Amino acid sequence: MNYEPVLTARIGVVDPACLHDYEAHGGFQALARAVELGPDRTVAQVEAAKLLGRGGAAFPAGIKWRAVHNAEGPKFVVANADESEPGTFKDRILMEKDPYALIEAVILAGYATGAGKGFIYVRGEYPRAYQRLRQAVARCYEAGYLGKDILGSGHEFHLELRRGAGAYICGEETALFESIEGKRGYPRLKPPFPTEAGLFGRPTLINNVESLVSVLPIVLRGPDWFNSIGPANSPGPKLYSLSGRVRKPGLVEAPMGVTLRELIEAHGGGVSGSGEFQAALVGGAAGTFLGPDQLDTPLDFHSLAKMGAALGSGAVIVFDTSVDMMQVLERIAAFFAHESCGKCYPCQLGTMRQRDIIQRMVAGQGRPGDLQLLRDIGQTMRDASICGLGQTASSAILSAFELQLT
Amino acid sequence: MTSDQTLALEPDQERALQTLMRRYRGRGQSALLPMLHEVQAITGWVDEPTARAVAHTLGIPEIEVHNVLTFYTLFYTEPVGKRVIRVCNDIACVLAGNGELIQRLAEELGVDPETGGTSADSRFTLELHPCLGHCERAPFLMLDEEPMGPVAPDQVPDLLGGVS
Ligand SMILES: Cc1cc2nc3c(=O)[nH]c(=O)nc-3n(C[C@H](O)[C@H](O)[C@H](O)COP(=O)(O)O)c2cc1C
Ligand code: SF4
Ligand code: FES
């Protein structure tokens, strides 16, 4: 518990509107350090830190940074700030309370990869985060952090903000590119991967807000510091969005691998409602449920993957014993049926059938083979869907039946 | 392509729209979402003539504008109330008892609590929304661009009454 927050250190301390305040609290020192190191060694720091992407897929950030750094010609950096995974609010708080940190991180990423232009794609339902960023971008242009010859590096970098418009699927990286290009948010087939052909067909680095912000202390304090926190194969500080039936819901920064029990007891003030823990949904609607026997699971990418679960976005929604879990499953099923973009049939049809089956179970009209049917549908969606939405649309529901929560 | 109805704009709205069109002239498809956001901030929703004007201004086919308008839930091709209330109906807000809040809002506005809708006087549209990313403030809603939460059901009359 004597962990000192790093990613959230400025939150509630600085005035989010004030560039000078940001500078007075360590702002733009990471960028200055990166310019000292040069692009190649900056990328090497990210590689050595073994930073895993915080947006859900846990892909090693260093691999993407290196690939874009090595690519020729015009390229882009994109911050994925579309945060729409149910139960997740960490990126919003970072952007609202410390907007300059994200902007500094995007500029740094542009410098390290050699990209001349960056985008921050902000969820449409986050007007406050968008306004704060907009004001901060204008101040950064005035102060010379954006534009020509940034910090005397000779590098020119421009940053544009974009707003989403209410589509969960646009958080998927290739759908997000389509959306910036002015189209419907339909995911693209991969490969090619964004590092080869991303936004406007150009090599593109896309990272989650928290991933990018994590790079600032990596560059300032060094990869060894980062690796000293949390488990060796999943290191660093992590943001958890804690909500549901806990006494103190909110944003928690903890070393990666904090246990579910610690998160609920020490940070969340314990279970509310009946006071007795029933389950937690980890990773949002695309995540999995953990039951009472799993309270001591470390919440890091590898520990959860080993048990067939996933940390995803780091959302943790807690349920006490008074909650009717079938109602929760009904919401999740309805969510995916609504958000499936319809580009591929396994997901379009699968999410609808899944919803229909759960609805009839809730109505007390479940049929004998229903659970097996849900498993089959889940399997088909996992194997045959184009993107992560369809591939994970059954995971929470099936895990709930597995744990016999219903 | 959209509603049969058309927008009835005040002269100052017309002027704002014309200024906007000049600013976006020839900027191409990538400017489509930003432009539609700005158009809607003036007009509330997008009727067919306006959609055509957007296509023409950016220099892109009308069908592209139609595709985008019908894909994204924050864009409206039908009239909406002067103010839009997006009330969260996702897991954390349900756990925090949002049912009563939605019931109360629906009652005051005379709309269906299951689906939402627009009040008869067109002042408000109520929408039930997936997680709005403020679960630590459940039950949560947004009144246009203003985040509010936690909101208790008996705050509803004040909330609606305080809006011009
Ligand atoms: C349906 C779907 C929704 C997603 N939504 C988000 C999101 O809101 N924010 C995010 O950062 N990543 C989201 N992702 C993951 C992105 O596709 C991508 O992996 C991520 O932006 C990469 O950044 P990272 O490596 O830093 O995590 C989503 C993926 C899928 C399949
Ligand atoms: S898996 Fe679902 S969301 Fe993804 S492309 Fe297919 S239909 Fe669209
Ligand atoms: S569940 Fe309501 S804001 Fe997240």
Side-chain angles (χ1 to χ4, degrees):
Chain A
M1 279 303 293
N2 48 13
Y3 170 78
E4 185 206 328
V6 181
L7 304 177
T8 55
R10 274 184 294 264
I11 286 178
V13 176
V14 294
D15 172 359
C18 181
L19 174 57
H20 297 306
D21 213 10
Y22 180 66
E23 290 169 329
H25 288 83
F28 286 106
Q29 286 177 12
L31 181 61
R33 176 79 186 125
V35 171
E36 269 170 39
L37 288 169
D40 182 57
R41 284 166 65 203
T42 302
V43 172
Q45 302 269 304
V46 179
E47 291 173 315
K50 294 181 283 176
L51 169 65
L52 301 178
R54 290 348 189 196
F59 190 83
I63 295 179
K64 299 202 281 194
W65 283 54
R66 180 60 68 192
V68 178
H69 170 85
N70 288 343
E72 303 284 335
K75 38 197 168 180
F76 296 101
V77 170
V78 178
N80 188 340
D82 194 45
E83 188 170 74
S84 325
E85 188 59 51
T88 314
F89 46 86
K90 64 189 178 77
D91 296 341
R92 171 182 58 80
I93 293 182
L94 286 178
M95 293 186 283
E96 287 180 353
K97 303 283 171 72
D98 196 15
Y100 288 100
L102 175 59
I103 293 170
E104 178 181 359
V106 174
I107 299 169
L108 191 156
Y111 172 73
T113 57
K117 170 120 197 210
F119 288 86
I120 303 178
Y121 186 95
V122 186
R123 182 177 184 190
E125 293 89 344
Y126 283 178
R128 186 159 290 179
Y130 178 77
Q131 293 306 343
R132 293 249 162 96
L133 286 168
R134 204 164 75 143
Q135 195 216 10
V137 166
R139 295 287 293 112
C140 286
Y141 268 106
E142 286 161 20
Y145 290 118
L146 282 166
K148 289 204 168 89
D149 192 23
I150 292 165
L151 298 186
S153 64
H155 186 67
E156 176 168 358
F157 188 75
H158 294 276
L159 180 55
E160 196 176 324
L161 299 180
R162 288 300 181 98
R163 292 186 70 180
Y168 170 73
I169 191 59
C170 286
E172 196 281 332
E173 54 196 16
T174 60
L176 189 153
F177 299 150
E178 294 283 306
S179 185
I180 293 179
E181 292 176 16
K183 302 179 223 156
R184 288 184 162 192
Y186 288 137
R188 301 174 184 167
L189 290 171
K190 288 189 265 192
F193 292 99
T195 51
E196 306 149 45
L199 184 59
F200 302 112
R202 300 300 314 167
T204 303
L205 174 70
I206 179 161
N207 272 132
N208 169 259
V209 170
E210 182 190 347
S211 310
L212 286 163
V213 168
S214 297
V215 171
L216 300 178
I218 288 173
V219 169
L220 267 180
R221 301 178 183 211
D224 290 343
W225 162 80
F226 196 78
N227 281 301
S228 73
I229 299 168
N233 52 10
S234 216
K238 178 77 193 94
L239 300 179
Y240 297 90
S241 306
L242 182 61
S243 72
R245 291 279 167 83
V246 285
R247 292 206 166 78
K248 290 188 306 178
L251 178 66
V252 176
E253 178 177 344
M256 180 78 84
V258 64
T259 65
L260 181 55
R261 188 189 302 279
E262 218 177 317
L263 199 61
I264 294 171
E265 304 281 317
H267 298 277
V271 178
S272 62
S274 73
E276 208 180 319
F277 177 83
Q278 176 174 203
L281 178 57
V282 175
T288 37
F289 286 96
L290 300 182
D293 295 343
Q294 293 152 315
L295 273 166
D296 292 309
T297 309
L299 299 178
D300 66 76
F301 293 117
H302 286 272
S303 304
L304 287 164
K306 261 197 300 203
M307 29 189 294
L311 182 56
S313 63
V316 177
I317 310 176
V318 176
F319 307 88
D320 67 276
T321 47
S322 74
V323 178
D324 174 359
M325 296 306 288
M326 272 318 282
Q327 303 271 336
V328 177
L329 299 193
E330 190 181 11
R331 271 252 33 91
I332 294 172
F335 174 79
F336 284 113
H338 183 256
E339 299 297 338
S340 167
C341 81
K343 176 169 174 164
C344 64
Y345 289 117
C347 167
Q348 186 192 26
L349 301 178
T351 53
M352 285 196 286
R353 292 202 62 199
Q354 175 172 268
R355 179 200 53 199
D356 295 345
I357 295 167
I358 297 285
Q359 276 177 350
R360 76 176 177 233
M361 289 169 120
V362 170
Q365 289 159 1
R367 299 173 198 163
D370 273 353
L371 185 52
Q372 191 50 46
L373 203 51
L374 284 172
R375 289 199 185 109
D376 293 346
I377 293 167
Q379 188 69 42
T380 308
M381 288 198 286
R382 245 190 330 278
D383 295 344
S385 297
I386 290 180
C387 88
L389 188 148
Q391 288 156 11
T392 58
S394 62
S395 69
I397 289 169
L398 293 179
S399 76
F401 287 111
E402 209 62 52
L403 290 170
Q404 302 189 317
L405 296 175
T406 54
Chain B
M1 94 190 215
T2 55
S3 170
D4 316 336
Q5 300 187 56
T6 50
L7 282 158
L9 297 179
E10 304 288 335
D12 59 326
Q13 288 176 308
E14 280 291 355
R15 272 195 301 277
L17 205 52
Q18 290 315 317
T19 311
L20 184 71
M21 297 277 177
R22 275 197 294 281
R23 207 151 45 75
Y24 273 93
R25 187 156 315 278
R27 281 180 51 186
Q29 186 153 357
S30 174
L32 179 53
L33 271 82
M35 184 173 182
L36 288 174
H37 274 299
E38 288 204 55
V39 167
Q40 261 199 184
I42 299 168
T43 60
W45 64 283
V46 183
D47 66 359
E48 171 142 13
T50 307
R52 262 203 301 270
V54 166
H56 186 76
T57 298
L58 294 175
I60 61 174
E62 282 170 38
I63 183 72
E64 300 289 351
V65 179
H66 172 78
N67 284 344
V68 161
L69 280 173
T70 51
F71 184 82
Y72 295 92
T73 59
L74 294 186
F75 295 138
Y76 299 101
T77 55
E78 303 278 342
V80 282
K82 252 184 98 146
R83 312 291 297 263
V84 179
I85 301 172
R86 298 192 174 91
V87 58
C88 177
N89 194 26
D90 218 322
I91 302 171
C93 288
V94 173
L95 291 178
N98 74 340
E100 265 180 80
L101 172 65
I102 293 174
Q103 196 65 41
R104 187 65 186 266
L105 283 162
E107 254 167 47
E108 297 278 339
L109 300 176
V111 301
D112 184 344
E114 297 289 322
T115 58
T118 300
S119 62
D121 62 6
S122 297
R123 286 181 64 221
F124 292 98
T125 293
L126 179 68
E127 285 185 350
L128 275 53
H129 215 279
C131 176
L132 286 165
H134 289 72
C135 326
E136 84 282 24
R137 294 169 63 180
F140 181 82
L141 64 79
M142 291 187 65
L143 175 59
D144 286 334
E145 308 233 302
E146 194 184 338
M148 297 181 166
V151 184
D154 45 1
Q155 288 173 271
V156 166
D158 274 354
L159 191 153
L160 299 178
V163 169
S164 55

